[in-house]
Amino acid sequence: MLKVGMIVGSTRPNRFADTPVQWLVEGAQARSDLRLTVLDLRDNPLPFFNEPAPPSYAGGVYTEPKAEAWRKRIGEFDAFVATVAEYNHGPTAVLKNAFDSAFVEWQRKPIAFVGYGGVGAARAIETLRGVVIELQMAPIRQEVNIAMEPYLGIVQQGRSLNDYEYLVQSRGAMFDHLVWWGEALKAARQRTSESGAAV
Ligand SMILES: Cc1cc2nc3c(=O)[nH]c(=O)nc-3n(C[C@H](O)[C@H](O)[C@H](O)COP(=O)(O)O)c2cc1C
């Protein structure tokens, strides 16, 4: 069973994030091929990156104890999902900071994105795809975009994400592909470490 960490990418009071988080937890519980753990940035408050050296020069070690704890937590997972809010056409600062606050622990692992907002956070997700490629991750093509209509349907009319069948299908496809890549890369990482090659 693949160990998947789900990073909750916004922290403000009244955040919408809790709605997709709960829905993703429910979707994951119905599956036997992955175990989803919520990594809430509220519970893992990270200082803004302020290291004296780039992580790539420092061997991925941080001087900041909270970043050290975060990167060790990230190292426990084989794949990731991130909930993505779009702030001013980009990702939230807390989520970008969370990516900057670990290094080797991200490498050679897949990540999937679940965005919401006017255009389902498509612009923020595109930005994050470049970020995670630089971290040597494999971003999954299948994403979930909760755009204006379902977003307002939920916030203003009390609807649920399950009322939107295309979103339920997107969630399933996203998990399917995340598990495929997660298992493939996990096996490849194990082969590499057995042969003694550098990761
Ligand atoms: C600072 C800020 C900037 C925002 N900018 C955008 C934006 O560029 N595009 C968009 O679709 N929604 C934007 N929104 C609206 C968010 O999509 C909406 O508030 C969403 O619920 C934010 O996620 P959160 O509730 O998890 O924080 C913005 C919201 C905030 C707070």
Side-chain angles (χ1 to χ4, degrees):
M1 199 188 262
L2 195 74
K3 288 187 277 183
V4 180
M6 178 164 63
I7 301 157
V8 186
S10 58
T11 54
R12 68 180 186 89
N14 302 323
R15 66 184 177 187
F16 181 79
D18 295 307
T19 297
V21 164
Q22 183 56 34
W23 179 72
L24 291 161
V25 166
E26 287 164 15
Q29 280 170 348
R31 305 178 63 108
S32 58
D33 54 358
L34 64 89
R35 189 172 71 236
L36 192 69
T37 301
V38 177
L39 301 172
D40 194 335
L41 295 176
R42 279 182 183 164
D43 303 330
N44 299 271
L46 290 161
F48 272 119
F49 184 90
N50 196 30
E51 295 291 316
S56 55
Y57 296 178
V61 176
Y62 290 70
T63 62
E64 171 56 57
K66 285 186 174 145
E68 277 294 281
W70 172 248
R71 76 176 183 91
K72 285 176 183 152
R73 186 80 171 117
I74 292 303
E76 295 170 16
F77 298 95
D78 296 312
F80 300 92
V81 176
T83 64
V84 180
E86 184 170 286
Y87 287 0
N88 298 317
H89 288 202
T92 60
V94 286
L95 182 56
K96 174 60 165 60
N97 191 53
F99 282 115
D100 293 340
S101 300
F103 185 65
V104 292
E105 294 78 13
W106 298 120
Q107 291 173 0
R108 298 177 174 174
K109 297 175 183 175
I111 183 164
F113 298 106
V114 177
Y116 50 86
V119 295
R123 293 164 295 222
I125 291 172
E126 285 304 297
T127 302
L128 288 169
R129 288 182 180 280
V131 170
V132 301
I133 287 170
E134 181 59 17
L135 289 167
Q136 297 190 54
M137 303 184 81
I140 300 304
R141 172 184 176 271
Q142 285 73 16
E143 63 187 44
V144 179
N145 301 107
I146 303 162
M148 187 68 84
E149 199 220 325
Y151 181 88
L152 293 181
I154 290 160
V155 171
Q156 296 180 349
Q157 297 161 18
R159 300 191 78 183
S160 137
L161 285 166
N162 287 326
D163 293 333
Y164 302 90
E165 182 53 31
Y166 66 94
L167 292 177
V168 174
Q169 284 181 12
S170 296
R171 178 182 64 182
M174 181 198 74
F175 278 140
D176 288 347
H177 287 264
L178 186 70
V179 170
W180 190 96
W181 282 97
E183 292 293 355
L185 292 177
K186 183 176 161 188
R189 287 198 310 279
Q190 280 165 353
R191 276 199 305 277
T192 308
S193 70
E194 279 161 19
S195 70
V199 173

